[in-house]
Amino acid sequence: MALPLLREELALLAGPKLADGQPSWTLNDPVRNRFFSIDWATCEILKRWSLDDPDAIVEAIGIDTTLQLHTGDIEYIIHFLSDNQLIQPQGADSASKMVERLAKQQGSWLKWLLHHYLFFRVPLIRPDAWLGRWQGIADLFFTRTFLLLTLGALSFGLLQVMHHWDTFFASLVDNFSWEGLASYGVALFSVKLLHELGHAFTAKRYGCRIPSMGIAFLVMWPMAYTDTNETWRLTSRWQRLHVASAGIVTELIIAAWATLAWAILPDGPLRSAAFVLAPTSWVATLAINASPFMRFDGYFIVSDWLEMPNLHERSFALARWRLREWLFDLGEAKPEHFSTGRERGLIAFAWAVWIYRLVLFLGIAVLVYHFFIKIVGIFLFLVEIVWFVALPIGHELKAWRQRWSLIRIRRRSRLSGMVMLVGLILFILPWPGRIGASGVLRPAEQWPVYAPGPAQLERFDLKEGAAVSAGEPLIVLATPELQSRLAATQARLDRLRWQAASAGFDSESRTRLQSSQDELATAEAELFSVKEELAKFAPLAPFSGHLRDIDPDLHPGTWVGRKEKLALLVRSDAQVVETYLDEEAVKRIQVGDRGLFIIDSGSGSGLALTVTSIDADTSRVLTAGMLAA
């Protein structure tokens, strides 16, 4: 069969050696500024493309090299070239085919809107000529002298931050205001602009062309970008690593010098600006750009370090293959062959990326829902969930459906199906779980010791935390008024008793006997009342426990006022936890259920609890004030 014609403007460039030691080449499409890394066999086929005969190409390669290919390899290359539009359109219907391909790529207006909502770029400038004019000055930042100065600035700045950490942290907290957040936003924009210039100048230093710089929007969030696709021309992976890491290095340099400026400048606007730049650069670099889980700088650094272009796609394909083997034992060939250690690392990396993206996209979806108009927020939330979560799962289920004839006859498939069914049932069924709530731990009994009235402290020998037995005196108070009433009542009672005892000696006494007995009974009752009142000024412990919250100013001779709290007697052998539950949770518990109380600080062991009572009515007043927090 005749081979299709390659596009004449394509360029074949030398590339770095691959991980297995074979040479590689880079196929450049200058119209779209796209690059394709190809292996030795593909390069040999393209070199002999002019033979225009698959059999002749295979025969020539077998004679000239040690490769042993077949015509199926040529057909694979034809599909590759066609799918990536690297061949010349041929035939009378070529124009219509190109229109059909374009329409298929663009899809419906809804697909276009979804794509451009999720991610789109706005090129703003063509900086290549400008970068060339300033390259001489930028080269100063690539010298060993500047590196040593930066390391010195970093060391001294971090040392000063450690010595003045309280001031640094206080400044960080003070900037969490609308004005502070605005300053962080300006600093972040400035840092990211310099970040992209770091990429651009480094790529330009190695002879790459920078066709455009601008703003990219990821889920409507603006980010600067630099088109550094030309770095695929570089044959040294170390040079590509330098370009990929230039943005992170630029931000770290800014952070180092900003930290030093904060440490040595006096208080004022310049020191405040340096402070804002320092944490912004550190956080933006380490938390965002260094992550390999998204297609940021960290991803390209790891890809170049491992010499694995398209790291995400290749690790995902390997992880999906391994998942199918775990579930169904299909015995399919691996997408790629690696050493055992690298294969396990790539699979673990793929799962880490999936989990990270799931959490990230769910978070973005929630933010979009809350920060947009509700009807728009709901739509965008659904877009996030469908596009980033449901669609990848649907693609994998589609791959299972294509293999269904093989899956259903495998023994491993039936076992996996049973496990998934049980897991689904366990997930759907409303299994009761633990109920968590905040509670207050208090003694089962506590008895406050008050002064019944104005009195003077006569005796108080107990200290804070002292153990007290039931019936033991706690405190003795003296009250002159009651004591004088007691003496008067006792004297009157003694007189009336004497009169009652001598009533039989004369007729007058006998006639007054009844009235004297009534007065005697009244005096005895009054004496009993006074003694009861006095007993309140010498309270006895109603139960065994410990004294707490003793007023430290108490000592014999001190006067206390009415209802003044003197101490608190608490029972030590029993404790109670009070908590409040909502109406759904309270239906799931009953008296006798077990619980566990853990102190907020996490110190000590948990206390085993048993539910002893449940209020039947809604609480309208908090009996424990601490629960209001």
Side-chain angles (χ1 to χ4, degrees):
M1 64 178 179
L3 299 181
L5 297 177
L6 297 177
R7 287 168 46 195
E8 295 182 355
E9 67 272 21
L10 299 180
L12 190 61
L13 311 172
K17 287 186 177 181
L18 299 181
D20 57 3
Q22 67 169 308
S24 72
W25 282 263
T26 302
L27 187 63
N28 176 217
D29 179 0
V31 176
R32 294 179 296 165
N33 196 32
R34 296 189 64 183
F35 295 83
F36 304 89
S37 180
I38 60 177
D39 58 9
W40 179 26
T42 305
C43 180
E44 295 296 335
I45 292 174
L46 293 179
K47 285 180 180 180
R48 295 163 178 80
W49 199 258
S50 59
L51 296 177
D52 199 27
D53 180 18
D55 293 327
I57 293 176
V58 170
E59 183 180 358
I61 292 176
I63 294 173
D64 299 337
T65 69
T66 57
L67 293 172
Q68 298 297 322
L69 305 180
H70 51 81
T71 55
D73 298 320
I74 311 296
E75 294 176 4
Y76 178 83
I77 299 301
I78 293 174
H79 288 301
F80 162 74
L81 296 172
S82 177
D83 291 342
N84 291 282
Q85 304 176 47
L86 300 176
I87 58 178
Q88 298 180 22
Q90 295 177 333
D93 60 344
S94 61
S96 60
K97 288 183 177 179
M98 293 180 66
V99 171
E100 183 180 350
R101 180 192 291 269
L102 179 62
K104 185 177 181 181
Q105 288 179 346
Q106 291 179 342
S108 63
W109 65 270
L110 180 60
K111 183 178 180 181
W112 181 91
L113 180 62
L114 291 178
H115 273 291
H116 286 76
Y117 151 64
L118 297 170
F119 181 79
F120 65 94
R121 286 181 174 182
V122 180
L124 298 177
I125 58 174
R126 300 182 180 276
D128 194 66
W130 180 84
L131 292 171
R133 289 193 296 270
W134 287 90
Q135 189 64 45
I137 296 177
D139 286 343
L140 297 175
F141 296 100
F142 293 90
T143 61
R144 179 182 293 272
T145 301
F146 181 74
L147 173 62
L148 295 176
L149 289 174
T150 302
L151 292 176
L154 175 64
S155 302
F156 183 79
L158 291 179
L159 187 63
Q160 293 300 310
V161 169
M162 292 174 59
H163 287 169
H164 303 87
W165 174 248
D166 292 340
T167 304
F168 187 87
F169 184 76
S171 301
L172 185 65
V173 174
D174 291 342
N175 276 278
F176 279 101
S177 61
W178 288 114
E179 295 79 4
L181 293 177
S183 63
Y184 281 126
V186 173
L188 184 62
F189 175 81
S190 304
V191 167
K192 290 305 175 185
L193 179 60
L194 294 174
H195 173 108
E196 296 304 323
L197 287 175
H199 286 303
F201 277 115
T202 307
K204 192 67 178 176
R205 176 181 174 85
Y206 293 124
C208 299
R209 185 176 63 92
I210 309 300
S212 67
M213 294 178 68
I215 299 177
F217 289 86
L218 179 62
V219 195
M220 307 307 294
W221 183 261
M223 301 181 300
Y225 84 91
T226 301
D227 187 348
T228 57
N229 279 346
E230 288 274 331
T231 55
W232 283 102
R233 293 178 175 271
L234 302 176
T235 58
S236 170
R237 75 181 179 109
W238 293 108
Q239 291 180 346
R240 292 205 304 270
L241 270 173
H242 290 166
V243 176
S245 60
I248 292 178
V249 172
T250 300
E251 292 194 35
L252 293 177
I253 290 173
I254 295 171
W257 287 99
T259 305
L260 175 66
W262 176 85
I264 63 176
L265 288 175
D267 289 333
L270 289 178
R271 191 174 195 234
S272 299
F275 172 80
V276 171
L277 274 177
T280 301
S281 303
W282 287 116
V283 173
T285 298
L286 300 178
I288 300 176
N289 291 106
S291 171
F293 301 133
M294 300 293 289
R295 295 183 72 89
F296 296 139
D297 293 348
Y299 167 74
F300 295 103
I301 292 173
V302 173
S303 297
D304 289 332
W305 178 265
L306 297 176
E307 296 183 291
M308 288 191 64
N310 300 322
L311 175 61
H312 279 169
E313 291 76 7
R314 296 165 73 179
S315 63
F316 292 169
L318 194 61
R320 286 193 294 266
W321 167 82
R322 174 52 64 189
L323 175 64
R324 294 166 192 161
E325 292 302 309
W326 282 337
L327 294 177
F328 311 124
D329 191 23
L330 300 177
E332 293 183 342
K334 297 180 181 179
E336 291 185 80
H337 291 272
F338 301 98
S339 64
T340 303
R342 173 163 287 201
E343 179 180 305
R344 291 175 179 173
L346 289 174
I347 293 173
F349 175 74
W351 279 99
V353 173
W354 289 339
I355 295 172
Y356 174 86
R357 289 186 176 183
L358 176 63
V359 175
L360 177 66
F361 293 143
L362 286 177
I364 292 176
V366 172
L367 290 177
V368 165
Y369 169 75
H370 283 289
F371 283 97
F372 281 82
I373 302 171
K374 288 305 176 188
I375 186 64
V376 179
I378 293 173
F379 172 73
L380 298 181
F381 176 88
L382 293 175
V383 170
E384 291 282 328
I385 297 301
V386 171
W387 191 266
F388 289 116
V389 179
L391 201 58
I393 295 176
H395 288 162
E396 182 59 22
L397 293 178
K398 183 178 179 181
W400 292 6
R401 187 175 61 185
Q402 294 172 349
R403 297 166 173 82
W404 179 245
S405 59
L406 181 60
I407 290 176
R408 64 183 180 181
I409 64 175
R410 306 297 293 181
R411 182 179 179 183
R412 179 79 62 83
S413 302
R414 292 191 290 271
L415 179 61
S416 299
M418 292 178 59
V419 171
M420 286 190 288
L421 180 61
V422 171
L424 182 62
I425 293 174
L426 293 177
F427 178 77
I428 294 176
L429 289 179
W431 293 96
R434 291 184 176 181
I435 299 175
S438 295
V440 174
L441 176 69
R442 64 170 179 79
E445 288 187 83
Q446 53 188 8
W447 192 68
V449 181
Y450 288 100
Q456 187 179 31
L457 185 61
E458 183 175 305
R459 180 166 57 85
F460 188 49
D461 302 328
L462 300 175
K463 303 298 182 183
E464 176 73 23
V468 178
S469 301
E472 183 178 344
L474 299 176
I475 192 171
V476 178
L477 298 171
T479 170
E481 179 186 357
L482 283 179
Q483 288 173 344
S484 60
R485 281 181 58 192
L486 177 65
T489 304
Q490 185 66 50
R492 187 159 64 91
L493 183 61
D494 291 341
R495 177 175 59 80
L496 291 173
R497 284 174 177 170
W498 179 79
Q499 290 178 355
S502 60
F505 292 103
D506 54 59
S507 58
E508 183 179 358
S509 297
R510 286 195 297 270
T511 58
R512 294 183 56 193
L513 178 60
Q514 186 62 40
S515 61
S516 297
Q517 288 178 342
D518 292 340
E519 290 181 12
L520 179 61
T522 301
E524 288 177 344
E526 184 177 353
L527 179 64
F528 180 78
S529 175
V530 172
K531 286 184 177 181
E532 272 194 340
E533 192 74 19
L534 276 173
K536 296 179 181 179
F537 288 84
L540 305 178
F543 52 81
S544 299
H546 291 79
L547 278 181
R548 301 293 182 185
D549 300 338
I550 297 177
D551 189 342
D553 296 329
L554 290 180
H555 57 271
T558 302
W559 283 88
V560 295
R562 186 174 182 273
K563 296 298 182 182
E564 182 176 343
K565 186 177 180 180
L566 307 179
L568 181 69
L569 178 64
V570 297
R571 185 173 175 179
S572 305
D573 58 349
Q575 295 173 312
V576 171
V577 172
E578 287 185 356
T579 185
Y580 288 79
L581 303 177
D582 61 37
E583 58 182 351
E584 293 300 325
V586 78
K587 296 175 183 177
R588 295 169 51 190
I589 63 171
Q590 57 186 354
V591 174
D593 286 349
R594 289 178 296 176
L596 182 67
F597 180 81
I598 301 174
I599 301 174
D600 285 341
S601 63
S603 60
S605 58
L607 301 178
L609 307 177
T610 301
V611 178
T612 57
S613 65
I614 305 172
D615 288 345
D617 193 16
T618 301
S619 298
R620 293 172 175 81
V621 178
L622 289 176
T623 55
M626 284 187 290
L627 286 173

